[in-house]
Coordinates of all heavy atoms in Angstrom, one line a residue:
V1 N -30.3 24.6 20.1 CA -31.0 24.0 21.3 C -32.2 23.2 20.8 O -33.0 23.7 20.0 CB -31.5 25.2 22.2 CG1 -32.2 24.5 23.4 CG2 -30.3 25.9 22.7
V2 N -32.3 22.0 21.2 CA -33.4 21.1 20.9 C -34.3 21.0 22.1 O -33.9 20.6 23.1 CB -33.0 19.7 20.5 CG1 -34.2 18.8 20.2 CG2 -32.1 19.8 19.2
G3 N -35.6 21.4 22.0 CA -36.5 21.3 23.1 C -37.4 20.2 22.8 O -38.0 20.0 21.7
V4 N -37.6 19.3 23.8 CA -38.4 18.1 23.7 C -39.5 18.3 24.8 O -39.3 18.5 26.0 CB -37.6 16.8 24.0 CG1 -38.5 15.6 23.9 CG2 -36.5 16.7 23.0
L5 N -40.8 18.0 24.4 CA -41.9 18.0 25.3 C -42.6 16.7 25.4 O -43.0 16.3 24.3 CB -42.9 19.1 24.9 CG -44.0 19.4 25.9 CD1 -43.5 20.1 27.2 CD2 -45.2 20.1 25.4
F6 N -42.5 16.0 26.4 CA -43.2 14.8 26.6 C -44.6 15.0 27.0 O -45.0 15.7 28.0 CB -42.5 13.9 27.6 CG -41.1 13.4 27.2 CD1 -40.0 14.1 27.8 CD2 -41.0 12.4 26.4 CE1 -38.7 13.6 27.4 CE2 -39.8 11.9 26.0 CZ -38.6 12.5 26.4
F7 N -45.6 14.5 26.1 CA -47.0 14.8 26.4 C -47.6 13.9 27.5 O -47.1 12.8 27.8 CB -47.8 14.5 25.1 CG -47.5 15.4 24.0 CD1 -46.5 16.3 24.0 CD2 -48.3 15.2 22.8 CE1 -46.3 17.1 22.9 CE2 -48.0 16.0 21.6 CZ -47.0 16.9 21.7
P8 N -48.5 14.5 28.3 CA -49.2 13.6 29.3 C -50.0 12.4 28.7 O -50.4 12.5 27.5 CB -50.0 14.6 30.1 CG -50.5 15.6 29.0 CD -49.2 15.7 28.2
V9 N -50.2 11.5 29.5 CA -51.2 10.3 29.1 C -52.5 10.9 28.9 O -53.0 11.7 29.7 CB -51.2 9.3 30.2 CG1 -52.2 8.2 29.9 CG2 -49.8 8.7 30.4
G10 N -53.2 10.5 27.8 CA -54.6 10.9 27.5 C -55.6 10.5 28.7 O -55.4 9.4 29.2
K11 N -56.5 11.4 28.8 CA -57.5 11.2 30.0 C -58.7 10.5 29.5 O -59.5 9.9 30.3 CB -57.8 12.5 30.6 CG -56.7 13.2 31.4 CD -57.1 14.5 32.1 CE -56.0 15.1 32.8 NZ -56.4 16.4 33.4
N12 N -59.0 10.5 28.2 CA -60.2 9.8 27.8 C -60.0 8.2 27.6 O -58.9 7.8 27.7 CB -60.6 10.3 26.3 CG -61.2 11.6 26.4 OD1 -61.9 12.0 27.3 ND2 -60.9 12.4 25.4
P13 N -61.1 7.5 27.6 CA -60.8 6.0 27.5 C -60.0 5.7 26.2 O -60.0 6.3 25.2 CB -62.3 5.5 27.3 CG -63.2 6.5 27.9 CD -62.4 7.8 27.7
G14 N -59.1 4.7 26.4 CA -58.2 4.4 25.3 C -57.0 5.3 25.2 O -56.3 5.3 24.2
R15 N -56.8 6.1 26.3 CA -55.7 7.0 26.4 C -55.7 8.2 25.4 O -54.7 8.8 25.1 CB -54.3 6.2 26.1 CG -54.1 5.1 27.1 CD -52.8 4.3 26.7 NE -51.6 5.1 26.9 CZ -50.5 4.6 26.6 NH1 -50.3 3.5 26.0 NH2 -49.4 5.3 26.8
T16 N -56.9 8.5 24.8 CA -56.9 9.6 23.9 C -57.1 10.9 24.7 O -57.5 10.9 25.8 CB -58.1 9.5 23.0 OG1 -59.4 9.4 23.7 CG2 -58.1 8.2 22.1
P17 N -56.5 12.0 24.2 CA -56.5 13.2 24.9 C -57.7 14.0 24.8 O -58.6 13.8 24.0 CB -55.3 14.0 24.2 CG -55.4 13.5 22.8 CD -55.7 12.0 22.9
T18 N -57.9 14.9 25.8 CA -59.0 15.9 25.7 C -58.6 17.2 25.2 O -57.4 17.5 24.9 CB -59.5 16.1 27.3 OG1 -58.4 16.8 27.9 CG2 -59.8 14.8 27.9
E19 N -59.6 18.0 24.8 CA -59.4 19.4 24.3 C -58.5 20.1 25.3 O -57.7 21.0 24.9 CB -60.6 20.1 24.0 CG -61.3 19.6 22.7 CD -60.6 19.8 21.4 OE1 -59.8 20.8 21.3 OE2 -60.7 19.0 20.4
E20 N -58.9 20.0 26.6 CA -58.0 20.7 27.7 C -56.5 20.3 27.6 O -55.6 21.0 27.8 CB -58.6 20.3 29.0 CG -60.0 21.0 29.3 CD -61.1 20.3 28.6 OE1 -60.9 19.1 28.1 OE2 -62.3 20.8 28.6
Q21 N -56.3 19.0 27.4 CA -54.9 18.5 27.3 C -54.2 19.1 26.0 O -53.0 19.4 26.0 CB -54.8 17.0 27.3 CG -55.1 16.4 28.6 CD -55.0 14.9 28.6 OE1 -55.6 14.2 27.9 NE2 -54.0 14.4 29.4
F22 N -55.0 19.2 24.9 CA -54.5 19.9 23.7 C -53.9 21.2 24.1 O -52.8 21.7 23.8 CB -55.5 20.0 22.6 CG -55.7 18.7 21.8 CD1 -56.7 18.7 20.9 CD2 -55.0 17.6 22.1 CE1 -57.0 17.5 20.1 CE2 -55.3 16.4 21.4 CZ -56.2 16.4 20.4
A23 N -54.8 22.0 24.8 CA -54.5 23.4 25.2 C -53.2 23.4 26.2 O -52.4 24.3 26.1 CB -55.6 24.1 25.8
Q24 N -53.2 22.5 27.0 CA -52.1 22.4 28.0 C -50.8 22.1 27.3 O -49.7 22.8 27.6 CB -52.4 21.3 29.0 CG -51.3 21.0 30.1 CD -51.6 19.8 30.9 OE1 -52.2 18.8 30.4 NE2 -51.3 19.8 32.2
V25 N -50.8 21.2 26.4 CA -49.6 20.9 25.6 C -49.1 22.1 24.7 O -47.9 22.4 24.6 CB -49.8 19.6 24.8 CG1 -48.7 19.4 23.8 CG2 -49.9 18.5 25.7
V26 N -50.1 22.7 24.0 CA -49.7 23.9 23.2 C -49.1 25.0 24.0 O -48.2 25.6 23.6 CB -51.0 24.3 22.4 CG1 -50.8 25.8 21.9 CG2 -51.5 23.4 21.4
K27 N -49.7 25.3 25.3 CA -49.1 26.3 26.1 C -47.7 25.9 26.5 O -46.7 26.8 26.4 CB -50.0 26.4 27.4 CG -49.5 27.5 28.3 CD -50.5 27.6 29.5 CE -50.0 28.7 30.5 NZ -50.8 28.8 31.7

């Protein structure tokens, strides 16, 4: 089984992610 997770668009300027998004994706 191959699991694929598409990450959300970054919320910071320039589309960079926040620490909260890091945690969301890790979860």
